[in-house]
Amino acid sequence: MTDVRVTDTRIESPQWDALALEPLVEAAAQAVLAHLRIVPEGCVIAVLATDDAEIARLNSEFRVKPVPTNVLSWPAQDLAAEDDGETPDLPEPDPTGETELGDIALAWETCVREAQEAGKSVADHVTHLTVHGVLHLLGYDHIRDADATLMEGIETIILGRMGIADPYS
């Protein structure tokens, strides 16, 4: 991992104190950038660590789904590929040289419940969700079949390099 930080984490819910979240999300974000060969210098990702109530409010406001979810993401740039299964565009730095990638929000209760249901550690599950969220910021998605295959394949490779089992097997 590089010495350059790319994540700016705000812990809004004290439940997150049970997990060393900041180094975990930083390592996940760095792993995504390294895999995609994106230079981390100047890249910025805001991470909000919140609870189910707040993420349900955000999900309602931005996706018209008034229920909690595990992770939400708001890309700073539209990098999505036009054709199903194609690689998204690389982010463009702004005139100052900074590259705002976007924002991610994680919900404690949902993350813990999903980890327990899957028999995984909370840290591994949150790492996966962070990788997933960062890929969304970089234009990857899973709505179309070939896009989902591409995104899930990249997640599996990155997580494997981090010592985390394939979350889709």
Side-chain angles (χ1 to χ4, degrees):
M1 183 167 68
T2 178
D3 291 337
V4 176
R5 277 191 72 76
V6 298
T7 58
D8 180 16
T9 303
R10 188 174 98 207
I11 299 176
E12 186 178 90
S13 175
Q15 299 169 88
W16 285 99
D17 293 342
L19 189 67
L21 183 66
E22 291 184 51
L24 189 147
V25 298
E26 180 67 26
Q30 292 279 356
V32 173
L33 297 178
H35 178 79
L36 298 176
R37 294 185 174 92
I38 296 172
V39 176
E41 284 79 13
C43 289
V44 180
I45 299 168
V47 179
L48 173 66
T50 191
D51 58 23
D52 275 4
E54 177 60 10
I55 212 149
R57 187 192 71 73
L58 293 168
N59 205 16
S60 179
E61 180 179 343
F62 292 98
R63 297 178 63 223
V64 195
K65 295 181 178 184
V67 295
T69 188
N70 50 21
V71 62
L72 291 172
S73 58
W74 295 270
Q77 301 176 41
D78 181 6
L79 303 171
E82 284 187 36
D83 294 324
D84 190 10
E86 283 192 357
T87 302
D89 295 329
L90 291 175
E92 292 288 331
D94 71 18
T96 67
E98 192 168 88
T99 307
E100 285 280 340
L101 297 180
D103 303 341
I104 296 170
L106 297 158
W108 177 258
E109 298 93 335
T110 298
C111 289
V112 169
R113 179 180 43 77
E114 289 176 347
Q116 290 171 341
E117 288 171 356
K120 300 175 184 178
S121 74
V122 175
D124 284 356
H125 189 53
V126 170
T127 297
H128 173 216
L129 293 174
T130 304
V131 166
H132 186 86
V134 172
L135 286 171
H136 274 309
L137 298 182
L138 295 168
Y140 290 86
D141 210 337
H142 45 81
I143 294 171
R144 302 178 298 191
D145 289 344
D147 287 342
T149 300
L150 176 63
M151 184 176 184
E152 291 169 8
I154 292 170
E155 288 176 37
T156 300
I157 291 167
I158 293 168
L159 292 169
R161 288 181 182 150
M162 297 180 80
I164 298 173
D166 179 352
Y168 299 106
S169 65

